[in-house]
Each structure stands twice: as structure tokens, then as C-alpha cells.
Amino acid sequence: MSGPPILSNDGIGAAGAPALPTAGRVRRRLGLGLLGLVALFALLGPWLVGIDPRVQALDQSLQPPGAAHWLGTDVLGRSVLARLAHAARLSLGLALLAAVSAAMPGVLLGMLAAWRGGAADRALVLLADAVMPLPGLLLVLLLAAVVPGSALALYLGLSLSLWVEYFRVSRAAARPVLAGDAVQASRLLGFGLPYVLRRHLLPALAPVLGTLLAFSAAQAVLALAALGFIGVGLQPPTPELGLMMTEFLPFYDEAPWLLGAPVALLMLLVLGMMLIAREESGE
């Protein structure tokens, strides 16, 4: 009786069967699965629940989870499940939008600085160095104070605070690629930046930018929840994770299940993004 197949260096068994998934792939699949479940809940939850999260029913205040309300009701008799579904859509959508909006100018400016060098590089680095010492959460707080309760102000603040990291990472990663033989040959043959960007830069930058996108999206989710928790983010009756925690905290002794719902959803969101980021970074 033969023993188990011996795995070769490329991860393929001696009999030609593929090897078991590595720990990194398992983490990535788990992270994608968690984010997929949260995304489905955010997209389909409001439609499936079919309850307006702003409708109050004071005669059903602080109802425990049951058939009518799977996650119970808050102090105003509103469905926690309905509010959680809308909060998931708001937090996930706004965080991804802010991360992508920060990535586009940050990556383009970083590659431009690495490509042009000289005065353009120094000017862009000076701009990034001037913005970086300002704490990102403080910048969001300033914009939120100017326009209280505005989702647009939170989005702009998060985008403005996140673009610097994309600029620094893309500039640092692009410089050795641009100095390589392949790019030098392409430039000698007359190919411009669009060709070099498509054939050389983007394939080399994709892994590190994927990691940074996951990290920045997780950072944006936590920032939104923190601002809502301290009362300077989105305002009632808007369903938002941090705001829901603030509303539920005074009733923890009487209805402890209320606080667990937004906390669990926030943990799943951040955990899914961090698992993807760890796998992309090769840890």
C-alpha cells in the first residue's frame, strides 16, 4: 500500500493532484466570505426586512429577539435588524468609496512623481509631507464640524486623509520598476507612460495596492464608527454603526443583545478586510 503523495516545491503532489490550500489562501477565502456575507446583507437586507428603520413603535420598546423582530427593537421600538442592514450599507459603501477615491489620485500622483522626478517629484513629496503630519481623524473632525451630520463631509475628509499613503507607497514601489531594464527598453523604443503603466507598473503595484486598499477601507470603517460613537459623525435618525452603539449603550443592563448587533457587524467588516490584507501582503 503506497503512502500519501509527496508535495513538490511548486505545491503539486507527486500524482499530479493539487496541494491543499495554504494558510494565506484560507485566510483570503475566509475574508472574502465574510465580506461577501456582509455585502449581501447590506444590499438585500433592507429589501428582505421590508421595514422602515425610522418608523417608531413606542409600545414595542426594547422587545427581545423573536419572530416579529429577529434582533429585537430599540428604545423607540424600531427594528434593530432593519437599522443594522441600512447601517451596513452605509458603512461599507462609504468606506469603499472613500478608499477608492483616495487611491485614484494617490496612485496616479505617486507614479507621476516616480516617472518625472526632479522638480515635480520634489513638489509632490513636499505636498505629501505637509499633509501627513495632520492626523486623519482630526481632518475628518474639522470637516464634520463645518457641515455637521453630512455624509459628503465625512467622505471628503476620509478621502483627503487616506490619499497620502497611496502616494507614498506607489511612488516607492514604482521607482525600482521604472529603473528596471524592461521599462528602460520600452522608453528607448518610444513607448510613453500609458504603455509603461499598463504593461509594467500596474502589474508590479497591484499586490501592494490591494493590501493598502483593504487596510484603508478597514481604517475608514473604524473612523466612521468612532465619529458616530462620539456624536460628531452622522446624526439621528440615520442608522450608522457607531451611532447605534451610542444609542444602545445606556440600555446595556436591560437589553444587552442590542449592543452586540452593531459590534458584531463592525468586527466582521474589519476582520474580513484584515484577512484579505494579510493574504495579499504574503504574511
Side-chain angles (χ1 to χ4, degrees):
M1 183 176 180
S2 61
I6 300 175
L7 297 181
S8 60
N9 292 332
D10 59 358
I12 305 298
L20 292 176
T22 63
R25 292 178 182 175
V26 172
R27 285 197 299 265
R28 183 173 186 271
R29 291 175 183 176
L30 180 59
L32 288 174
L34 290 176
L35 285 183
L37 290 176
V38 174
L40 285 177
F41 177 64
L43 292 174
L44 302 180
W47 176 73
L48 293 176
V49 175
I51 301 176
D52 191 337
R54 298 168 296 182
V55 172
Q56 302 180 11
L58 298 181
D59 59 331
Q60 301 181 18
S61 175
L62 298 180
Q63 292 291 317
H69 301 285
W70 291 0
L71 294 179
T73 60
D74 63 6
V75 68
L76 298 176
R78 299 173 297 189
S79 171
V80 175
L81 182 62
R83 292 184 64 79
L84 196 66
H86 284 78
R89 175 183 294 183
L90 176 64
S91 296
L92 183 59
L94 194 57
L96 291 177
L97 182 61
V100 173
S101 299
M104 293 176 63
V107 172
L108 291 177
L109 290 176
M111 291 188 297
L112 178 63
W115 173 268
R116 295 296 299 272
D121 183 29
R122 291 192 296 271
L124 290 173
V125 170
L126 182 62
L127 175 62
D129 290 342
V131 175
M132 192 170 183
L134 182 65
L137 195 57
L138 178 60
L139 180 60
V140 181
L141 281 171
L142 292 175
L143 290 178
V146 174
V147 189
S150 172
L152 179 60
L154 295 177
Y155 158 71
L156 291 176
L158 289 172
S159 300
L160 292 175
S161 63
L162 293 174
W163 76 271
V164 177
E165 288 298 326
Y166 287 97
F167 168 79
R168 293 170 61 90
V169 169
S170 59
R171 174 179 175 270
R175 294 183 71 178
V177 176
L178 292 174
D181 295 336
V183 174
Q184 295 300 322
S186 298
R187 298 178 72 172
L188 289 174
L189 292 173
F191 293 107
L193 180 58
Y195 177 85
V196 174
L197 176 66
R198 184 178 67 254
R199 295 297 299 271
H200 301 290
L201 281 178
L202 288 182
L205 298 181
V208 66
L209 292 180
T211 299
L212 188 56
L213 182 65
F215 275 124
S216 59
Q219 181 180 353
V221 169
L222 290 174
L224 288 172
L227 292 171
F229 187 78
I230 62 178
V232 296
L234 298 175
Q235 300 299 312
T238 304
E240 192 274 325
L241 294 178
L243 186 59
M244 291 175 67
M245 295 179 197
T246 302
E247 294 172 345
F248 296 161
L249 190 58
F251 308 98
Y252 175 76
D253 292 334
E254 187 176 357
W257 61 84
L258 289 178
L259 191 59
V263 170
L265 183 60
L266 180 62
M267 290 178 60
L268 289 177
L269 268 173
V270 176
L271 178 60
M273 294 176 182
M274 297 302 288
L275 287 173
I276 295 175
R278 280 177 60 94
E279 198 282 333
E280 292 286 352
S281 62
E283 296 182 9

